[in-house]
């Protein structure tokens, strides 16, 4: 029996990186998956993907409706879609600031709220939000992102406090430097950036999207029945050492 057989899962941002690896891992373990993304997928992933912007006004309603129609309910919500523009705060416009908060934080809140009734009806509702090590510390040039990820941590703990009575757990992960669409270009172009994060981890390497997917699946599994409001660092130990 596969670990997620019969489990109904929604993952946002599945065209690349952590979301792609997470949806594939759920699928491989027997889950029924629905995904969404702004950009088209390079290849057929073997599950339905809705083309949409998670920050759009109608996105939560559309997703909730499609989840109910296609999956007949929801057991696991993974809020993964995110953006990370790099700019000093003094040069960040209101529009740039708002877009980061809308995609990385507001959409997470709105999706959780829209899918709450379906999660309540599940025997073991699970929410896993993707934060970042930027929910714990700051790097220059990532102010809007860092604020949004601190917000994801606070939102996840607040939801955990409110939804425990419904049997829903809400956790978040804090990935370190992971090789994905967000980081690939800069990592290839800038050896100092690549080496900084390589050296920051005692394991001496960058993470792969599958490293993060395995942590997300743990938090979504019955092994994590008594884990809620928790932030799981998946950073190769980067935050544990100075
Ligand atoms: P990625 O760019 O490879 O994947 C993100 C996916 O989300 C893309 O397919 C993109 O098209 C999609 N997306 C972006 N905005 C969207 C929107 N408005 N609506 C729908 N889809 C949207 O990047 P990734 O690193 O896999 O990012 C996934 C999550 O992991 C993000 O929340 C990111 O902040 C977080 N994270 C990444 C790292 C890292 O080092 N890569 C570290 C910490 C946290």
């Amino acid at each position: 029996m596969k670990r997620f057989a019969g489990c109904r899962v929604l993952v946002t941002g599945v065209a690349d990186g952590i979301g792609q690896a997470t949806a594939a891992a759920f699928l491989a373990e027997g889950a029924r998956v629905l995904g969404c993304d702004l950009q088209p997928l390079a290849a057929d992933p073997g599950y339905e993907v809705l083309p949409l912007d998670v920050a759009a006004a109608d996105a939560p309603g559309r997703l909730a409706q499609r989840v109910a129609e296609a999956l007949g309910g929801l057991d696991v919500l993974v809020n993964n879609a995110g953006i990370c523009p790099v700019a000093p705060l003094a040069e960040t416009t209101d529009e740039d600031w708002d877009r980061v908060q809308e995609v990385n934080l507001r959409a997470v809140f709105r999706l959780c709220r829209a899918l709450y009734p379906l999660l309540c009806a599940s025997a073991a509702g699970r929410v896993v939000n993707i934060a970042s090590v930027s929910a714990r510390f700051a790097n220059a040039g990532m102010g809007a992102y860092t604020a949004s990820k601190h917000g994801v941590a606070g939102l996840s703990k607040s939801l955990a406090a409110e939804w425990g009575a419904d049997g829903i757990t809400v956790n978040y992960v804090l990935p370190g430097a992971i090789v994905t669409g967000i980081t690939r270009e800069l990592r290839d172009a800038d050896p100092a950036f690549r080496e900084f994060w390589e050296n920051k981890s005692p394991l001496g390497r960058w993470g792969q999207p599958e490293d993060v997917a395995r942590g997300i699946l743990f938090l979504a599994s019955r092994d994590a029945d008594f884990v809620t409001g928790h932030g799981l660092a998946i950073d190769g130990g980067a935050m544990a050492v100075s």
Side-chain angles (χ1 to χ4, degrees):
M1 182 80 159
K2 292 185 171 173
R3 184 164 54 145
F4 289 98
C7 188
R8 299 154 301 181
V9 179
L10 173 62
V11 183
T12 67
V14 294
D16 203 351
I18 294 167
Q20 187 179 50
T22 300
F26 273 117
L27 201 66
E29 296 216 37
R32 293 167 58 208
V33 177
L34 184 75
C36 72
D37 207 292
L38 259 184
Q39 49 167 332
L41 273 68
D44 178 3
Y47 57 87
E48 181 182 339
V49 180
L50 285 185
L52 59 72
D53 178 348
V54 291
D58 64 351
R62 283 181 58 200
L63 280 166
Q65 189 182 345
R66 191 62 202 137
V67 162
E69 284 166 4
L71 304 180
L74 189 70
D75 303 299
V76 179
L77 167 62
V78 180
N79 280 300
N80 165 77
I83 52 173
C84 183
V86 176
L89 282 166
E91 293 164 22
T92 297
T93 64
D94 288 355
E95 291 72 25
D96 292 343
W97 173 271
D98 287 349
R99 179 67 184 160
V100 174
Q101 310 314 321
E102 280 166 12
V103 174
N104 290 4
L105 179 56
R106 189 168 182 266
V108 176
F109 156 63
R110 295 182 75 237
L111 244 64
C112 286
R113 187 179 57 186
L115 291 159
Y116 174 59
L118 293 179
L119 290 165
C120 278
S122 165
R126 296 272 192 267
V127 179
V128 184
N129 295 325
I130 314 309
S132 166
V133 288
S134 298
R136 292 263 174 84
F137 60 66
N139 291 101
M142 292 172 61
Y145 181 80
T146 299
S148 75
K149 293 300 185 179
H150 275 68
V152 169
L155 171 66
S156 303
K157 290 182 221 175
S158 303
L159 289 170
E162 294 189 9
W163 293 359
D166 302 303
I168 302 169
T169 67
V170 184
N171 294 291
Y172 58 106
V173 296
L174 299 95
I178 314 295
V179 185
T180 70
I182 281 185
T183 54
R184 216 173 277 131
E185 213 171 291
L186 189 55
R187 182 178 181 272
D188 290 348
D190 184 352
F193 175 68
R194 194 186 65 236
E195 281 162 25
F196 173 81
W197 285 106
E198 235 164 52
N199 295 334
K200 204 158 166 53
S201 161
L203 298 176
R205 69 170 176 90
W206 279 58
Q208 294 298 325
E210 292 73 19
D211 290 315
V212 184
R214 281 191 288 273
I216 293 169
L217 266 67
F218 163 69
L219 291 171
S221 75
R222 299 305 303 257
D223 288 337
D225 264 355
F226 202 52
V227 180
T228 195
H230 181 66
L232 177 63
I234 308 177
D235 65 344
M239 285 190 296
V241 297
S242 65

